[in-house]
Amino acid sequence: MLYRLLSKLLEEVCKPLLNMMEQWMVQGDASDLHGDFFVVEDLKVTEDMLWTEKYSLNVEQVPIFLNYSHAYKIYLAGKAINFIRKCCGEAEWEVSSALKEPGIRTVSYTHLTLPTNREV
């Protein structure tokens, strides 16, 4: 019973972060009104510097249950989406529609562990 309660609590607490991660990886949207997301967009940087300077990974914001290696892959995924859309002239390009269908994917939190360090 306690395990179910804690799992539900973790699920609810992680929803905003998971929504931001999904928006970033599927749409390339790094919108973050409260500064909670670990991907940071520099709005002053133009698209010609998109790959090198437009986005950065704020390691201080990476949640403890997500190791740096996974955070970096998430960062690269959204960055690639933006590169394809903005630099390659494919503004209509979309990630597979199967990923966008509600109910297609299930997120499970039972595999999450709290690491003792922040190594890759």
Side-chain angles (χ1 to χ4, degrees):
M1 176 131 154
L2 180 60
Y3 178 79
R4 265 196 251 149
L5 175 65
L6 291 175
S7 292
K8 184 65 176 166
L9 181 62
L10 179 61
E11 180 180 337
E12 292 301 314
V13 167
C14 289
K15 273 185 183 180
L17 174 65
L18 293 173
N19 287 337
M20 284 187 277
M21 287 172 31
E22 180 180 7
Q23 281 296 115
W24 174 245
M25 291 189 300
V26 175
Q27 301 296 324
D29 179 10
S31 299
D32 180 10
L33 299 175
H34 305 290
D36 297 327
F37 195 38
F38 53 88
V39 175
V40 179
E41 179 179 9
D42 187 341
L43 298 173
K44 293 179 257 175
V45 175
T46 59
E47 289 180 10
D48 61 322
M49 301 300 287
L50 183 143
W51 193 258
T52 57
E53 297 179 22
K54 182 90 172 157
Y55 304 101
S56 60
L57 178 62
N58 181 353
V59 295
E60 297 297 318
Q61 290 294 102
V62 176
I64 195 163
F65 58 80
L66 191 65
N67 68 34
Y68 177 81
S69 177
H70 288 112
Y72 188 71
K73 290 173 185 174
I74 291 166
Y75 163 71
L76 286 179
K79 198 168 151 179
I81 297 286
N82 280 311
F83 182 81
I84 291 168
R85 286 187 172 167
K86 296 176 181 178
C87 297
C88 298
E90 296 291 333
E92 300 300 316
W93 187 85
E94 291 186 0
V95 173
S96 171
S97 59
L99 291 176
K100 297 189 299 183
E101 289 293 322
I104 294 292
R105 62 201 176 283
T106 302
V107 178
S108 170
Y109 305 94
T110 58
H111 66 286
L112 295 179
T113 58
L114 297 177
T116 57
N117 59 37
R118 303 289 289 207
E119 293 180 14
V120 174

